[in-house]
Amino acid sequence: LRGVDPSTLGSAAVGGAYTMADTGCDMSEEELLAMLRGIDASKIQSESQVVYPEKSAQAEEKEATTPEDLKAETFTEFLAKNPEKHTCSGKDLNQYWYSAITIEKMVAEVQAHGGEPLKVAFVSTPSLFFSLTAEQRRECAVLDYDRKWESEPGFVFYDYNEPEAVPEEIKGTFDMLVIDPPYITREVWAQYAITAKLLLAPNGRVMLTTVAENAPMMKELLDVEPQTFRPSVPNLVYQYCLYTSYPSEGLDCDNPEITEIIEQKHVELRPGH
């Protein structure tokens, strides 16, 4: 209370019990209670907001963070922390990551067609798996030869030379597969096709990437068709196409990265350049 002289509180205040007379306040107890009842609670609330402005600002910042922002941070972090590995030490590590824009587009496709909750197997596509949130990955799996992720929930070691060596408990359980082998040959794709048919649930969907020249073979092996959107793999020397086993409105568009590259090449081929 304003106007209270601390020197008048005496020893009684130490125990937390003292009378109105002990405080030196010249108001009666009845007058004091009446005054307290008259305080506007809304005024107390507004004053508390002024006292802690930083708390309000933090809350507003948290609300402004969208799922898209979190997703962008996730795949950017993956690209920064996981440099590509190209056939190192004689092992079949032939890693070329998709661009950030391509990852964003393919992850959106997974979220649209991978079931609810997502039940997707990412076969040799770790960049897409780790671009999902931990909650979204709860019922997904990443099958990969690189054991650097073996401590991660959902990791399954995969060697395409043993296409049937997948755990029994995950066979026939996935609503969608996303596949990108380290090599584009028929021998390798035939092995991946065996694995895909073991993993896929009835009426499950497939999305994969390989070169345009493989279109007839991919139709034969996994019944997929090329889509308009083409993925960007910045460090790969040849252009990939994106294939699906289902019609996709989300992939019925050009990739601005690829369009820009093609236009630049046309400029370079013009006379005088």
Side-chain angles (χ1 to χ4, degrees), residues 58-71 73:
Q58 290 171 356
E60 290 178 2
E61 183 179 354
K62 183 175 181 181
E63 290 175 0
T65 302
T66 65
E68 287 75 19
D69 293 331
L70 296 175
K71 181 175 61 180
E73 291 173 1

Side-chain angles (χ1 to χ4, degrees), residues 115-132:
E116 182 59 44
L118 293 178
K119 293 184 178 180
V120 182
F122 295 85
V123 189
S124 302
T125 51
S127 64
L128 301 179
F129 176 79
F130 288 106
S131 293
L132 298 174

Side-chain angles (χ1 to χ4, degrees), residues 257-270:
E257 296 175 295
I258 304 303
T259 303
E260 182 179 347
I261 292 172
I262 293 174
E263 290 176 351
Q264 181 60 36
K265 287 183 178 180
H266 285 169
V267 170
E268 293 173 355
L269 291 173
R270 290 174 187 169

Side-chain angles (χ1 to χ4, degrees), residues 14-190:
V14 176
Y18 52 85
T19 66
M20 291 300 296
D22 292 326
T23 67
C25 177
D26 57 3
M27 296 176 64
S28 69
E29 187 171 350
E30 290 77 15
E31 289 173 334
L32 177 61
L33 292 173
M35 181 190 73
L36 292 174
R37 292 191 188 101
I39 294 176
D40 186 352
S42 64
K43 183 177 180 181
I44 295 175
Q45 183 178 6
S46 64
E47 288 182 353
S48 68
Q49 293 174 348
V50 175
V51 174
Y52 304 103
E54 68 276 16
K55 183 176 181 180
S56 177
Q58 290 171 356
E60 290 178 2
E61 183 179 354
K62 183 175 181 181
E63 290 175 0
T65 302
T66 65
E68 287 75 19
D69 293 331
L70 296 175
K71 181 175 61 180
E73 291 173 1
T74 301
F75 65 65
T76 301
E77 182 180 17
F78 176 88
L79 294 174
K81 291 183 177 181
N82 296 276
E84 297 171 343
K85 298 178 182 178
H86 304 154
T87 318
C88 64
S89 302
K91 297 179 180 179
D92 291 326
L93 290 177
N94 202 31
Q95 296 172 339
Y96 290 90
W97 305 137
Y98 302 116
S99 70
I101 289 176
T102 295
I103 289 176
E104 184 175 15
K105 173 63 76 171
M106 294 180 72
V107 166
E109 192 70 8
V110 166
Q111 292 171 333
H113 299 285
E116 182 59 44
L118 293 178
K119 293 184 178 180
V120 182
F122 295 85
V123 189
S124 302
T125 51
S127 64
L128 301 179
F129 176 79
F130 288 106
S131 293
L132 298 174
T133 65
E135 179 62 28
Q136 291 172 326
R137 299 197 301 259
R138 286 176 64 89
E139 297 190 41
C140 297
V142 56
L143 286 76
D144 204 88
Y145 191 85
D146 193 343
R147 292 187 182 273
K148 70 177 294 183
W149 298 295
E150 63 183 348
S151 63
E152 295 286 343
F155 177 85
V156 177
F157 176 75
Y158 177 69
D159 182 348
Y160 68 79
N161 293 302
E162 301 180 58
E164 297 180 334
V166 295
E168 285 293 327
E169 61 269 21
I170 67 172
K171 291 181 179 179
T173 62
F174 294 104
D175 294 326
M176 187 176 191
L177 305 182
V178 186
I179 311 172
D180 180 45
Y183 304 104
I184 61 175
T185 63
R186 182 180 185 90
E187 291 75 16
V188 172
W189 266 112

